Amino acid sequence: MNSLIRDSLDHCVKCTICETYCPVSQVTPLFPGPKYIGPQAERYRGAGPPADSSVDYCSGCGICTQVCPHDVKIAEINSRARAKLWEKRGVPLRNQMIARPTVIGRLGTPVAPLANWALHNRAVRGLVQSVVGIHRDAPMPSFAGRTFQSRARRHRGPAGAPAVVYFHGCGTNYYEPLVGEMVVAVLEHNGFRVIVPPQDCCGLPLQSNGNFPAARTYVRRLVDRLVPHARAGLPIVSNSTSCGLMLKREAHEILGIEDDDLKLVSESMYDLCEFLLHLHDRGELRTDFMSLPMTVPYHAPCQQRGHGIGKPALDLLALVPDLHMIELDVDCCGIAGTYGLKKEKYEISMAVGERLFKEVTATGSDLAACDSETCRWQITHGTGVKSVHPIELLYRAYGLDRRTRAGSVSPELQTARVSG
Amino acid sequence: MSYDTVVVGAGLAGLTAALRLSERGQRVLVVARGVGATHLAPATVDVLGYLGDTQVASPAASVPVLISSSPNHPYAHVPAEQLETSLEWFCTKTAALGYAGNLDENLLLPTALGVPKPSALAPRSMSGGDLRAGGRFVFVGLKGFKDFHPTLIADNLNHARLPNPIEARALELVPPSSRRGDLSGRVIAGGFDTEDLIDWLAGALEDRVDPDERIGVPAVLGLRSGDATWQELEKRLQRKVFEVATLPPSVPGIRLSDVLSSALRTAGARIVLGVRAVGARAKGGRIEAVEVVNATGTVSYPVSSVVLASGGFASGGLELDSFGATRETVFGLPLIGLPNTDRVRFAPHYFDAQPLATAGVATDDQLRPVDASGSPVYENLHAAGAILGGATPWKEKSGTGTSVATGYAAAEAILTPAPTPVSEAVR
Ligand code: SF4
Ligand code: SF4
Ligand code: SF4
């Protein structure tokens, strides 16, 4: 295993900075905080699992690692300790389930109306909470019925244009295929041909639920699908900040995968907004934006900040006439992937999100923007305010929701109006 | 994205430089490995507390003396009037915290260990702890809060050498049942922000403090609501109340960092934490781009100017390896203050004069790091804060003052560059 992560604990000077930022330890005494559970406890952990299970209350948001001035890989240390804990105890069924969005997606998609009814039915959710352990009130997306993959297969992009590869992640595939179509439309509007390779989950939920072996299998399979394109020198973009980060860094740093294919893929990975901003830097982004006279609060999710790329969404949206974005100054929405779904953590996740919810509500806007899908669902759950990926605002500013370009976007998308 | 200036470091010096630049219309990017040392320091602005072993009463009078005896001191490169301008500017930018004090006389505030420390400026929630006039003090602890020890503070102050006699005592309160256990300053402060902890505190203090006692409470009266809570507490108790620094984390330090960071965001600057500046692409003596390692690898940001505010040894701006070599970690700049022999790196006692104590970069009067011949290493690179050599901030009590003054001066040097003397060749 990559011992650089563990060795980083020696850099800890006990400055407590991570403690002051950990959103979880601020709202619950069940989690003693990053310094204790990370570098301090790790020093005494042998090869075996952690002696107590409080590390399971770390949400894996990664904020501690971002703020630590001494490069201690706290969140990564925690993630590995969690994996050892579950290795010993066996990953509970609930965690196995929610960690496999592709499986759930495949089961739910064909029976979307029924599955959606069940997902939003109080009685069913009560039963699910007591039997499975997913909190009855936790935000659940709806199955879209037709996956993004199946839509993409029928879509013909412009031939001969320069190509870009699109890694859409499972959220887009099963729950928000329209976001995927907007990504394609915006990229095509900028003169690209979009390749959508067949793809499965990146393994991140498995990793954060402590099942490293299965996570490695998933990420390897995904890398195999993407690497031919990376070898051909094509950029790979993702609108899912957490999945993108998995390929950029976590598969290597946390799962400890050392291989050239992964390295190549991670060097070719771009967050969607990062990619578009690079285009703009080179003067290649179309700026035929229409005016969008509205005020929209923006939350940069923890995983987005983990990329270390600033806030390209804000830089891009600043190009849109009359669109006023409010940069929210709150670290975490609380959901942290699948963390906030769990019945014993739901309250914690809502308490963490409270400040963000208040700030969103205080803007009085009926629309918020955020790059990560689970965070969007959480924001909407906590505030009732609709939350969209920044691409949705760009899509609309380009007027793509009004333009009818026969065959270029699906009929559903042409009629879909961005609310706001 | 291209930026006018990249600032390396998010401590007091970096945030100061970045804010000054962005409020003057520059596009600024702040990159840092993590948050800065603001979170560890008590948020006072210490310009100069000691000249040798003598306590300084007036920094305005003593800074020139310091400069004449240590010509390499960072203050020597800050234009005389700018020290004062920078502090005034700082007070306006941090109006929400209400900084009190000035350059003419130092306040004398108790530290977390009960040592009287001279500071030029302090948030008004702390400045009431000024010990100079003497009098009666009560220091209030909270049971279970291990980063604040009122008895230690009171005992040490009763034995300290002070201009006027004081009488200090300790008082320990038991927090409300919902707040018992292992408390951290950050969590208690959060409690003051969101709950009615002030009712509890005011109630608990009412009958237990004499009318002529000043009340020192740990600096945890709220992260966002700190100043308001303090005002309210004084009003309710009809007594002088003041916050006293705790052991780290420092809530006043977090407030300061938050106020500056949010002003930066409003001014349109971008702050990226968890990344590492690793070098520069330079041409013709100018930095064209700063190289930064993020999640994917190394990216470069094209720039017009750069401010290096990466801190000293404690923050990783300087590094001493196990072979005795010292280096500046971002650009590999030349250093001053290195001992001649590589064998004697440490003096035997912690508080002895340490051979590496004044290590750091030397600069010209525009705060540009210079080489041994005194010429700037890069025309457009400026340095600020603890990375600067020639000072012993922990002895002089000059660290935060240096950060504000040099952060501001570096920004000014970028905004209004001194006219370059026409070189011989051109003539
Ligand atoms: S921020 Fe880093 S150095 Fe400071 S206590 Fe946490 S892990 Fe240690
Ligand atoms: S990853 Fe997030 S929840 Fe876990 S210790 Fe770090 S800051 Fe806290
Ligand atoms: S992390 Fe991304 S790719 Fe992985 S399961 Fe989630 S949506 Fe799918």
Side-chain angles (χ1 to χ4, degrees):
Chain A
M1 276 279 236
N2 189 344
S3 71
L4 279 179
I5 298 284
R6 186 167 199 275
D7 291 352
S8 75
L9 73 86
D10 284 338
H11 296 205
C12 175
V13 298
K14 313 279 175 241
C15 69
T16 68
I17 281 174
C18 54
E19 300 279 318
T20 64
Y21 279 88
C22 173
V24 172
S25 62
Q26 272 159 49
V27 299
T28 174
L30 293 171
F31 183 59
K35 173 169 71 90
Y36 290 97
I37 285 301
Q40 226 149 280
E42 178 67 19
R43 189 175 294 286
Y44 299 101
R45 286 183 195 129
D52 80 324
S53 54
S54 50
V55 67
D56 191 47
Y57 278 89
C58 161
S59 76
C61 69
I63 291 172
C64 48
T65 302
Q66 281 161 38
V67 297
C68 171
H70 297 281
D71 299 339
V72 181
K73 303 284 183 191
I74 315 155
E76 292 77 358
I77 289 174
N78 292 355
S79 185
R80 289 179 172 202
R82 202 161 42 234
K84 278 193 197 154
L85 185 74
W86 293 121
E87 204 175 287
K88 165 92 178 305
R89 303 191 177 175
V91 183
L93 173 69
R94 187 251 337 253
N95 294 15
Q96 298 276 17
M97 271 176 57
I98 56 181
R100 287 184 168 77
T102 33
V103 175
I104 298 179
R106 276 193 207 120
L107 290 174
T109 298
V111 289
L114 180 65
N116 290 337
W117 170 81
L119 279 176
H120 299 100
N121 178 285
R122 301 283 313 157
V124 176
R125 289 292 299 271
L127 194 70
V128 170
Q129 167 165 327
S130 50
V131 179
V132 188
I134 297 175
H135 196 282
R136 62 191 309 159
D137 296 325
M140 282 284 178
S142 297
F143 291 104
R146 248 179 75 219
T147 63
F148 174 71
Q149 280 273 327
S150 73
R151 296 168 196 228
R153 271 197 293 277
R154 301 207 345 230
H155 173 70
R156 291 285 154 264
V164 54
V165 179
Y166 178 28
F167 163 47
H168 50 68
C170 312
T172 305
N173 197 31
Y174 297 106
Y175 308 112
E176 299 186 332
L178 287 184
V179 173
E181 301 207 14
M182 293 182 214
V183 172
V184 173
V186 167
L187 288 168
E188 287 183 351
H189 183 68
N190 280 287
F192 286 95
R193 178 166 57 90
V194 182
I195 301 175
V196 184
Q199 50 193 272
D200 260 345
C201 173
C202 66
L204 176 60
L206 284 157
Q207 169 193 299
S208 56
N209 282 287
N211 190 343
F212 279 19
R216 286 191 195 103
T217 310
Y218 271 91
V219 76
R220 283 228 157 83
R221 198 155 60 203
L222 179 62
V223 166
D224 288 344
R225 304 269 203 190
L226 297 174
V227 76
H229 302 289
R231 266 194 216 110
L234 298 182
I236 307 170
V237 301
S238 175
N239 59 304
S240 174
T241 49
S242 51
C243 317
L245 191 61
M246 177 74 168
L247 288 176
K248 276 185 174 184
R249 181 172 67 193
E250 298 200 342
H252 170 66
E253 278 200 349
I254 298 183
L255 295 177
I257 299 178
E258 305 273 351
D259 83 35
D260 293 345
D261 285 356
L262 172 66
K263 195 154 179 288
L264 200 59
V265 167
S266 74
E267 284 164 3
S268 312
M269 270 309 301
Y270 295 89
D271 169 71
L272 174 66
C273 293
E274 177 189 20
F275 180 77
L276 294 173
L277 192 62
H278 281 318
L279 286 185
H280 181 60
D281 288 346
R282 294 199 298 265
E284 292 166 11
L285 185 82
R286 283 181 64 169
T287 51
D288 50 343
F289 293 116
M290 307 181 340
S291 144
L292 278 190
M294 52 206 269
T295 298
V296 182
Y298 169 75
H299 170 62
C302 318
Q303 300 294 326
Q304 192 279 343
R305 275 171 291 139
H307 287 241
I309 52 176
K311 295 182 179 171
L314 288 179
D315 296 327
L316 286 169
L317 293 172
L319 303 170
V320 175
D322 307 319
L323 175 60
H324 174 51
M325 300 298 293
I326 300 176
E327 180 178 5
L328 296 175
D329 176 22
V330 182
D331 285 330
C332 186
C333 74
I335 191 80
T338 57
Y339 183 85
L341 305 182
K342 300 168 185 169
K343 76 169 176 216
E344 74 281 11
K345 292 169 185 131
Y346 173 77
E347 308 284 344
I348 298 176
S349 108
M350 292 303 283
V352 168
E354 196 180 297
R355 231 188 104 203
L356 178 65
F357 303 154
K358 279 201 185 125
E359 289 210 5
V360 168
T361 313
T363 64
S365 170
D366 54 4
L367 187 71
C370 173
D371 312 68
S372 153
E373 53 276 300
T374 47
C375 309
R376 285 199 291 278
W377 303 333
Q378 170 87 340
I379 291 171
T380 303
H381 175 61
T383 61
V385 172
K386 182 178 153 87
S387 311
V388 297
H389 192 285
I391 197 70
E392 199 158 332
L393 293 168
L394 284 180
Y395 175 79
R396 189 170 168 192
Y398 276 132
L400 294 171
D401 55 336
R402 305 188 182 177
R403 244 168 261 181
T404 318
R405 293 190 300 146
S408 74
V409 282
S410 75
E412 271 154 290
L413 194 59
Q414 284 168 22
T415 51
R417 283 286 181 275
V418 186
S419 67
Chain B
M1 202 67 208
S2 70
Y3 294 90
D4 297 313
T5 299
V6 168
V7 175
V8 181
L12 188 54
L15 294 177
T16 297
L19 184 55
R20 180 65 184 148
L21 290 165
S22 36
E23 71 171 12
R24 293 286 306 275
Q26 284 217 342
R27 259 196 76 86
V28 178
L29 171 70
V30 179
V31 291
R33 291 160 67 185
V35 299
T38 38
H39 286 50
L40 310 178
T44 54
V45 179
D46 306 346
V47 174
L48 186 63
Y50 289 89
L51 262 182
D53 290 331
T54 319
Q55 203 175 70
V56 166
S58 162
S62 297
V63 168
V65 183
L66 171 76
I67 294 175
S68 61
S69 64
S70 328
N72 278 331
H73 198 282
Y75 284 142
H77 303 297
V78 176
E81 72 293 346
Q82 238 171 49
L83 179 56
E84 194 165 359
T85 326
S86 68
L87 295 191
E88 281 163 6
W89 173 88
F90 175 84
C91 291
T92 350
K93 295 299 131 186
T94 54
L97 303 173
Y99 270 81
N102 58 62
L103 209 47
D104 293 326
E105 42 182 308
N106 272 329
L107 305 160
L108 207 53
L109 301 175
T111 65
L113 299 182
V115 177
K117 190 181 75 154
S119 301
L121 305 178
R124 62 184 163 217
S125 65
M126 301 176 87
S127 61
D130 193 356
L131 299 160
R132 287 178 299 167
R136 299 184 67 212
F137 292 81
V138 54
F139 290 91
V140 180
L142 305 174
K143 197 166 165 32
F145 178 38
K146 60 195 179 312
D147 295 329
F148 191 76
H149 302 278
T151 315
L152 178 74
I153 297 175
D155 282 356
N156 279 345
L157 286 177
N158 283 331
H159 292 101
R161 217 181 310 140
L162 288 164
N164 287 295
I166 71 154
E167 188 190 316
R169 68 174 177 111
L171 173 66
E172 189 171 65
L173 301 179
V174 181
S177 51
S178 62
R179 291 275 159 193
R180 290 198 194 136
D182 189 5
L183 293 171
S184 88
R186 171 69 183 79
V187 168
I188 308 173
F192 276 101
D193 283 344
T194 54
E195 289 160 37
D196 40 16
L197 277 186
I198 185 167
D199 292 341
W200 166 77
L201 184 57
L205 284 173
E206 218 150 30
D207 307 330
R208 304 184 63 182
V209 181
D210 295 336
D212 66 333
E213 278 181 319
R214 281 196 257 167
I215 310 172
V217 297
V220 295
L221 295 183
L223 265 185
R224 286 177 297 284
S225 65
D227 184 65
T229 309
W230 163 76
Q231 290 190 31
E232 175 71 17
L233 205 55
E234 279 210 329
K235 207 169 87 198
R236 288 209 208 169
L237 293 169
Q238 292 294 313
R239 306 259 203 303
K240 193 120 206 84
V241 178
F242 59 96
E243 290 187 301
V244 184
T246 67
L247 297 178
S250 156
V251 169
I254 301 174
R255 288 178 200 146
L256 175 57
S257 170
D258 284 355
V259 163
L260 293 174
S261 307
S262 111
L264 265 176
R265 267 187 283 270
T266 310
R270 192 74 73 226
I271 306 173
V272 183
L273 299 183
V275 296
R276 211 181 165 122
V278 291
R281 207 179 59 226
K283 206 168 118 193
R286 285 183 71 83
I287 294 182
E288 293 195 316
V290 176
E291 297 187 324
V292 174
V293 173
N294 68 18
T296 330
T298 309
V299 290
S300 53
Y301 289 97
V303 277
S304 309
S305 312
V306 182
V307 176
L308 179 68
S310 49
F313 287 107
S315 303
L318 297 175
E319 222 170 64
L320 170 69
D321 71 17
S322 47
F323 300 101
T326 306
R327 64 181 196 104
E328 185 281 304
T329 54
V330 180
F331 301 112
L333 297 171
L335 298 174
I336 55 164
L338 302 182
N340 288 330
T341 153
D342 65 357
R343 279 175 307 152
V344 191
R345 296 195 298 278
F346 300 105
H349 298 289
Y350 191 81
F351 292 106
D352 287 352
Q354 293 289 344
L356 278 168
T358 60
V361 301
T363 72
D364 65 7
D365 286 348
Q366 296 178 63
L367 289 164
R368 295 182 297 190
V370 292
D371 57 21
S373 74
S375 9
V377 182
Y378 300 109
E379 221 176 281
N380 57 346
L381 171 65
H382 304 256
I387 188 74
L388 299 170
T392 44
W394 54 93
K395 285 191 119 175
E396 298 161 3
K397 304 297 170 207
S398 63
T400 40
T402 303
S403 290
V404 171
T406 57
Y408 184 88
E412 288 298 307
I414 290 170
L415 293 164
T416 36
T420 357
V422 184
S423 78
E424 289 302 322
V426 177
R427 235 181 255 167

